[in-house]
Amino acid sequence: MGGAFLATAVLARLGGRIGLPTIPLFILAGILLGPHTPGVVLVSDPHDLEMLSALGLVLLLFYLGLEFHLDDLKAGGRKMMLAGSAYLALNVGAGLAFGFALGWGTSEALVLAGVIGISSSAIVTKVLVDLGRLGNSETRPILGIIVVDDIFLALYLAALQPILSGADSPAAALMDGGKAFGFLLLLALAARFGTRVVGRLIDTRDDELLVISFLGAAVFVAGVSDWFGVADAIGAFMVGLMLGSTTSGERIRKLVHPLRDAFGAIFFFAFGLSIDPGDLPVVLWPVLAAVAVTVLMNVASGLITARLHRFDTLQAANISTTLLARGEFALILATMAAGAGLDDRLSPFIAGYVLILAVLAPLAVGRSYWLARILPGRSGGGEGGTGGPAALTPDGTAAAVPDRR
């Protein structure tokens, strides 16, 4: 574990000198020091870091919940649902069509629909934090789409499980889906009406007790969520949503930072451990085709979201590129597919596809102004923008420029 932390730190420092984002470097460290590449092997079995990796994902989504206020949900509820539904329709629909076009089988097509259709909450969160974009006006709809995606994710997993396991009982599938939806509803009600009670229970002047309390709450609810068939990260997100609105919310945000950064790095390192570079050439062309489809669908959904919120082209480009990454959900589906004995090409396909997008997405987000130059629409003055002419800056934000007319 010490070697994993040091390896990710060294690679991230080297990459930072040439302007590379940290996420693909953390993944690269896992690939280079894992069991599938020659040389030093720090971790021979990726499952050895499974619990730490899960904790990293939980903390990333917990932090996302802290930043996503209930007022934002209530204010943008209708637009959030429209944008999230458009994103899912385009990406999941394209993924399903792509899966059938490959001709690997119906179950395989359903798996690919989920892999191609759902963005990575962990990578999106890390990118927004690294680039300091949590305060941007387009971040609200980005997080809204992530929430809609993750709710769909929970229901999709519950529906897909009996199909992959060969169960022939629709009643069992409906029961699993109903259980997951019921627990999601319970969490939503707790976040909406239980904030005051939760705030009183967790409030303390002692930072040590506060850290233990919020960490215990996040991990416990994540575990219970998993038992109910809801993604564990969603449970952590809902806890963050509740605690972020309490009087302790600002202190929690500061205290969780080092935990989020440390265990988030382990999550991406563990992801790299699971990738075998030797399997990738077999599925290279399908992977590249899937990446192209994903880019096109994300640009289309970004434009739709921008139109809904009256955003400019730079904000549309920020939305499109930020949601491009695929990650933890795809890995879950790869594991399910392997356990169900589906086509052997699925695992290397998913690994290659996720790796390329995990590297491409953070790079694209930092250079979204390139995409903005070719998108149709307004080039400045969108909702929440500067209100005047805008220049595209290298960090992907709109900088006001004086009107010289």
Side-chain angles (χ1 to χ4, degrees), residues 348-390:
F349 171 89
I350 293 172
Y353 171 75
V354 172
L355 178 61
I356 289 176
L357 286 179
V359 173
L360 177 64
L363 294 172
V365 176
R367 294 157 181 81
S368 56
Y369 55 95
W370 289 354
L371 175 62
R373 290 169 181 161
I374 61 174
L375 291 180
R378 297 190 306 274
S379 60
E383 181 184 291
T386 61

Side-chain angles (χ1 to χ4, degrees), residues 165-211:
S165 62
D168 53 1
S169 170
L174 286 173
M175 185 174 293
D176 288 342
K179 185 172 69 171
F181 182 77
F183 186 70
L184 278 173
L185 183 61
L186 180 63
L187 287 177
L189 290 173
R192 175 66 180 86
F193 299 108
T195 302
R196 287 188 179 180
V197 175
V198 172
R200 290 174 184 170
L201 289 174
I202 205 166
D203 186 41
T204 175
R205 294 182 179 180
D206 190 315
D207 284 351
E208 179 184 14
L209 293 178
L210 185 59
V211 169

Side-chain angles (χ1 to χ4, degrees), residues 294-381:
T294 304
V295 171
L296 289 173
M297 292 302 103
N298 271 260
V299 170
S301 59
L303 288 170
I304 291 172
T305 303
R307 180 65 62 88
L308 284 171
H309 292 83
R310 293 186 295 168
F311 286 156
D312 58 42
T313 53
L314 178 59
Q315 291 166 308
N318 285 345
I319 295 168
S320 301
T321 53
T322 303
L323 292 167
L324 190 58
R326 301 295 186 266
E328 62 281 357
F329 179 50
L331 296 181
I332 293 170
L333 281 173
T335 303
M336 291 172 62
L342 299 186
D343 196 298
D344 291 338
R345 291 169 290 185
L346 266 181
S347 292
F349 171 89
I350 293 172
Y353 171 75
V354 172
L355 178 61
I356 289 176
L357 286 179
V359 173
L360 177 64
L363 294 172
V365 176
R367 294 157 181 81
S368 56
Y369 55 95
W370 289 354
L371 175 62
R373 290 169 181 161
I374 61 174
L375 291 180
R378 297 190 306 274
S379 60

Side-chain angles (χ1 to χ4, degrees), residues 218-228 232:
V219 176
F220 178 77
V221 174
V224 175
S225 300
D226 187 64
W227 188 80
F228 274 97
D232 50 6

